[in-house]
Amino acid sequence: MSDFDLVLSGNVVLPTRILEAGYVAVRDGKIAEIGQGRAPAARERHELGNALILPGAIDAQVHSLSQKDQEDFVWSTRSAAAGGVTTIVDMPYDEGNLVCSAEAVRKKVDHASPQARVDFALYGTIDPEEGAKRIPEQVEAGVAAFKFSTFGTDPKRFPRIPPGLLEECFAAIAKTGLTAGVHNEDDEAVRAAMEKVKALGITDYRAHALSRPPLTELLATLQVYETGALTGADAHIVHCSLSRGYDIAASYRAQGFAASIECCIHYLTLDEENDVRRLGGKAKINPPIRPRAEVEALWRQVAAGNVTLVSTDHVSWSENRKTNPDMLANASGIPGLEVMVPLFVKGVLERGISLTWAAKLMAENPARHFRLDHVKGALTPGRDADITVLVPVEKTYDAAASGNNVVGWSPYNGIKLPWTTAATHLRGKLAFDGTKVLSEPGTGKFVRPPQQIVVAS
């Protein structure tokens, strides 16, 4: 009788190479053995032929609670499981509850745990009225990173953090070993651009990009990295829509500073002149979707190694929040958890980029970024058996037909996916069988960095 619980055979995507005709063996929820050739016996075996066996993706940017009584973790993690995402990192900007204290972190863990179908980690933030004093207690409560914004969407739920306070926060975070992530749009520049657009009377799809021109993003990016350089904090841009932003990040890294940068899948897939024009408010995202030339420039940054992470910035707004003819009146953000992995694999294969690099950007790098790489991020013995299987079966994505998202709409509807998710395994257990999400609410666990030593300020 074998001592392996599960063996999957196929093309195994490892951190540095692809094992053709390889196998992954699982025992007690952990990766136990990786090999090539004849697979060992197991209680459960699957010969998957030319399927891709990838590490479960870690989505670095999810908003499960942005709209009350809408998505919640029971649905966001269902979409994740269906898309090959085995861990989500949820943002701290919940409608009615800014996650800015140890108590708020614990309440969110208690709220999410009975619902989660895949594992989850949490961002923390601050209330500007309190300053940085609650950063250490949130680290002790288990947050995996911190999130701030240089633009204020709402003074309580999504507040602007002014430069002096951002510096104070970065200095506090530098002592903890975690990363300081920032929404990178300059508040003053955006508001001036918005007023100009309104004065011109432009309300159609063009209004959004005009209200947030490239300089508004680049000014904030420079502020974030200079603040990191000054304080010694690991500075992170949570989404960058412009190739120039990745050049800036690379220049700071070349100078010896910790300067990571994230690209959302929508910036690598959608463009302004076709998709935003067609979809209107359903493609409104901050920062905006850019022209096709910029999309292809971002892919060149992926190929060059200048992108640290790929994520979704997933949020499932109800359709009435995304269909206003006045472009600027719509909520910002789109759902993407169910389709990020096959979309990114499609893109890298079309452009000759290695699948090992795709796995690094969706799993290994996020695990390291959030200090979860002791248990997550790669098909490496000893880590959690979080596994995604893709098969070369072409499907046209239809969010409503899938039944695995709360809203039933997506800006990615109609895209042909040459590789689709056939299975998702969470800690060795089948969470998605290619058609149905099998993982029940409460299966997912709260994951956190190893206990940190917080140095008192």
Side-chain angles (χ1 to χ4, degrees):
M1 183 176 180
S2 170
D3 63 351
F4 293 127
D5 301 316
L6 172 70
V7 168
L8 302 177
S9 298
N11 296 317
V12 181
V13 182
L14 299 178
T16 57
R17 59 192 176 125
I18 298 174
L19 288 183
E20 295 183 1
Y23 65 84
V24 177
V26 176
R27 182 192 303 120
D28 297 329
K30 300 287 185 180
I31 303 292
E33 184 178 302
I34 302 289
Q36 198 167 19
R38 184 175 176 83
R43 295 178 183 87
E44 182 181 349
R45 288 182 59 180
H46 296 279
E47 300 284 345
L48 302 171
N50 60 353
L52 300 175
I53 301 174
L54 296 146
I58 299 170
D59 193 337
Q61 195 169 171
V62 175
H63 299 260
S64 298
L65 295 167
S66 279
Q67 185 177 346
K68 278 187 175 179
D69 304 318
Q70 177 64 21
E71 183 168 42
D72 219 328
F73 281 84
V74 73
W75 276 103
S76 65
T77 57
R78 177 171 171 171
S79 296
V85 175
T86 50
T87 303
I88 67 169
V89 187
D90 212 71
M91 285 291 171
Y93 303 117
D94 304 337
E95 189 170 58
N97 180 37
L98 192 66
V99 181
C100 58
S101 68
E103 180 184 8
V105 173
R106 288 191 290 267
K107 283 183 176 179
K108 189 164 183 177
V109 172
D110 290 344
H111 173 86
S113 293
Q115 299 188 43
R117 302 173 192 265
V118 302
D119 290 348
F120 65 97
L122 297 179
Y123 265 97
T125 190
I126 67 160
D127 182 335
E129 294 180 2
E130 293 185 334
K133 66 181 183 181
R134 294 191 181 276
I135 284 174
E137 68 179 59
Q138 293 180 74
V139 176
E140 291 178 350
V143 299
F146 287 88
K147 168 76 180 292
F148 310 105
S149 181
T150 53
F151 177 79
T153 300
D154 182 273
K156 290 302 294 183
R157 193 183 74 82
F158 201 105
R160 173 181 179 251
I161 307 300
L165 181 53
L166 192 69
E167 178 187 346
E168 181 185 344
C169 291
F170 271 42
I173 293 166
K175 300 173 183 178
T176 74
L178 298 185
T179 299
V182 185
H183 177 115
N184 52 316
E185 293 181 297
D186 184 84
D187 194 271
E188 183 180 7
V190 169
R191 295 191 187 284
M194 289 176 70
E195 289 304 314
K196 184 176 179 180
V197 170
K198 290 176 182 177
L200 291 170
I202 299 172
T203 60
D204 64 11
Y205 79 95
R206 299 169 298 159
H208 189 48
L210 290 171
S211 73
R212 285 168 149 84
L215 189 59
T216 63
E217 191 175 331
L218 298 174
L219 287 172
T221 298
L222 288 164
Q223 179 197 339
V224 170
Y225 288 142
E226 280 299 312
T227 306
L230 176 68
T231 60
D234 286 6
H236 178 65
I237 297 298
V238 299
H239 37 43
C240 181
S241 69
L242 301 162
S243 178
R244 173 64 181 151
Y246 297 89
D247 291 335
I248 292 170
S251 71
Y252 275 88
R253 290 195 296 274
Q255 296 169 61
F257 300 112
S260 53
I261 191 164
E262 192 168 327
C263 191
C264 299
I265 191 65
H266 43 258
Y267 299 130
L268 295 167
T269 305
L270 307 174
D271 65 56
E272 183 187 17
E273 61 267 41
N274 296 297
D275 301 300
V276 182
R277 182 173 188 156
R278 172 175 56 89
L279 294 164
K282 287 186 175 180
K284 181 173 181 275
I285 302 161
N286 298 333
I289 301 295
R290 304 295 182 182
R292 175 51 53 175
E294 194 69 65
V295 175
E296 294 307 321
L298 294 185
W299 276 109
R300 291 192 290 275
Q301 295 285 4
V302 171
N306 290 332
V307 177
T308 312
L309 315 174
V310 171
S311 68
T312 63
D313 200 2
H314 170 97
V315 56
S316 290
W317 297 109
S318 55
E319 284 195 85
N320 65 307
R321 300 282 294 271
K322 297 290 287 179
T323 51
N324 195 311
D326 181 352
M327 186 68 171
L328 297 185
N330 291 286
S332 296
I334 59 173
L337 269 165
E338 192 179 7
V339 75
M340 174 183 72
V341 173
L343 276 175
F344 193 52
V345 167
K346 174 181 185 288
V348 298
L349 292 175
E350 287 175 346
R351 293 165 177 83
I353 300 170
S354 170
L355 284 169
T356 60
W357 193 242
K360 184 180 287 287
L361 296 188
M362 291 191 293
E364 185 180 4
N365 282 7
R368 184 180 302 115
H369 181 83
F370 294 108
R371 282 55 171 176
L372 303 175
D373 53 335
H374 59 301
V375 288
K376 302 290 183 184
L379 299 179
T380 300
R383 298 198 197 182
D384 287 352
D386 295 346
I387 304 167
T388 298
V389 176
L390 296 186
V391 292
V393 175
E394 184 174 275
K395 289 185 180 180
T396 299
Y397 184 62
D398 183 336
S402 83
N404 288 316
N405 55 80
V406 72
V407 288
W409 68 267
S410 169
Y412 307 115
N413 279 351
I415 294 179
K416 290 184 178 179
L417 302 171
W419 290 81
T420 56
T421 307
T424 305
H425 296 265
L426 175 67
R427 288 178 268 110
K429 301 295 184 183
L430 189 62
F432 176 66
D433 67 2
T435 303
K436 183 179 179 182
V437 172
L438 305 177
S439 183
E440 293 292 334
T443 304
K445 296 180 179 179
F446 175 53
V447 289
R448 55 170 293 165
Q451 193 67 41
Q452 304 284 329
I453 300 175
V454 182
V455 180
S457 58

